[in-house]
Amino acid sequence: MASSFLDKIREVSKQFFASPMEEKQKYSREADSIEGYGNDMILSDHQTIDWTDRLYLTISPEDQRKIKFWPENPKDFRETLHEYTVKLQETNDFLLRAMAISLNLEESCFLDQYGEQPLVTARFNFYPPCPKPDRILGVKPHADASAVTFLLQDKEVEGLQFLKDNEWFRVPIIPHALLVNVGDQVEIMSNGIFKSPVHRVVTNTKRERNTLAVFCIPESDNEIKPADGLISESRPSLYRKVKDYVSIYFQHYQQGKRPIEAVKI
């Protein structure tokens, strides 16, 4: 992907969030759904709300797209998003094959679990300046429910941090690169060899921040489990078999719990 194309994606995102509120509200999510424009679904009386506006869209399978939530302005929003996500799905397939080969597995090992009708979703994120960045997060700590996540970061404003050894590390900006994040479902498939990292987004008082995350999620009817070639007497299976992992994910996430703990043996 050309640098100019990544800039174009950033631009259509910025233009949408800069639209008048009445324009953005045309795409508001419904009360019982995450799809569309808005912020956190309220799933608990005790949950902490993230300091962010989002536009959440289903990309694939294409017959599950809800076009009523895809902005008509800017004019090239839909075409640009479609082209971008087609390229990412090709990249995702390549990565899943490469990760399998790196573990001396059949190259289709992870792709077979991923399935032919995976769920691909996009989440455009807008983080406005926050008056209390020491107390409020853009996104609370979590790991991703996906197999693989692709993040297009803001070109100028940092905010993403990863947790390692109980310490938070900032993620530097590389303007024309994609950040690739392993999700929980590849951690399960790899029997814990590839780790799904906990991460968060911090806020700041002065500058807004725009990012785009695309989540590549295995087909919900497929059984996700550690690859047979990664199980032995010395390294037994660390995770139970699971279907439709995403269905348990959001409830745990809003409660501040790690969903993957629920499928560990």
Side-chain angles (χ1 to χ4, degrees):
M1 281 180 270
S3 298
S4 58
F5 181 62
L6 296 181
D7 287 340
K8 182 179 180 182
I9 298 159
R10 290 187 175 101
E11 187 58 31
V12 297
S13 175
K14 287 183 178 180
Q15 288 178 23
F16 170 74
F17 285 114
S19 300
M21 182 57 70
E22 62 183 22
E23 176 67 21
K24 289 181 288 191
Q25 286 179 338
K26 293 177 182 178
Y27 309 101
S28 291
R29 67 171 182 80
E30 293 157 358
D32 59 348
S33 172
I34 63 173
E35 188 145 9
Y37 169 74
N39 43 37
D40 285 350
M41 286 179 65
I42 306 300
L43 300 175
S44 165
D45 291 337
H46 306 291
Q47 78 185 65
T48 302
I49 304 300
D50 294 335
W51 187 267
T52 179
D53 281 351
R54 300 188 181 114
L55 177 66
Y56 194 101
L57 302 171
T58 296
I59 305 298
S60 179
E62 289 193 30
D63 62 4
Q64 294 183 24
R65 290 183 179 181
K66 297 181 179 178
I67 294 299
K68 66 179 182 179
F69 293 121
W70 289 52
E72 295 181 272
N73 291 302
K75 299 295 185 184
D76 54 353
F77 182 99
R78 296 179 176 182
E79 178 185 352
T80 302
L81 178 58
H82 176 77
E83 182 180 351
Y84 178 59
T85 52
V86 166
K87 293 177 184 295
L88 286 188
Q89 289 176 76
E90 294 172 355
T91 306
N92 176 73
D93 287 0
F94 172 83
L95 284 175
L96 289 176
R97 292 182 189 277
M99 286 192 284
I101 292 170
S102 75
L103 299 177
N104 296 315
L105 300 170
E106 290 290 332
E107 72 169 32
S108 64
C109 180
F110 295 154
L111 271 175
D112 289 344
Q113 292 194 51
Y114 185 66
E116 295 183 1
Q117 289 287 309
L119 175 65
V120 179
T121 62
R123 192 179 72 200
F124 293 82
N125 305 294
F126 172 72
Y127 303 96
C130 177
K132 297 182 178 179
D134 56 328
R135 297 176 58 187
I136 299 173
L137 290 170
V139 178
K140 63 182 73 66
H142 68 287
D144 292 344
S146 60
V148 175
T149 301
F150 296 92
L151 180 69
L152 182 63
Q153 294 216 77
D154 193 293
K155 283 181 71 172
E156 298 179 354
V157 184
E158 290 187 5
L160 181 63
Q161 297 182 342
F162 281 94
L163 184 65
K164 180 176 172 57
D165 300 327
N166 295 314
E167 185 176 352
W168 290 103
F169 293 87
R170 69 178 185 84
V171 177
I173 293 171
I174 303 175
H176 292 116
L178 294 171
L179 186 146
V180 180
N181 189 33
V182 169
D184 285 357
Q185 298 201 57
V186 160
E187 178 170 331
I188 295 169
M189 293 180 202
S190 68
N191 203 25
I193 294 174
F194 292 119
K195 300 295 186 185
S196 174
V198 174
H199 49 286
R200 69 180 185 181
V201 175
V202 297
T203 55
N204 73 84
T205 59
K206 296 180 180 179
R207 302 189 69 183
E208 64 185 41
R209 180 171 177 265
N210 286 269
T211 67
L212 170 57
V214 174
F215 304 94
C216 298
I217 301 166
E219 193 172 339
S220 62
D221 289 340
N222 281 13
E223 192 172 69
I224 304 301
K225 62 183 180 66
D228 292 339
L230 301 176
I231 299 171
S232 63
E233 287 187 12
S234 61
R235 189 180 180 86
S237 178
L238 302 177
Y239 307 90
R240 299 198 318 268
K241 298 174 182 177
V242 62
K243 285 187 177 182
D244 196 14
Y245 180 78
V246 173
S247 67
I248 67 169
Y249 177 85
F250 283 102
Q251 192 70 36
H252 284 74
Y253 165 64
Q254 296 296 3
Q255 294 174 359
K257 300 177 182 178
R258 281 211 68 185
I260 201 168
E261 296 294 330
V263 299
K264 284 186 176 179
I265 296 174

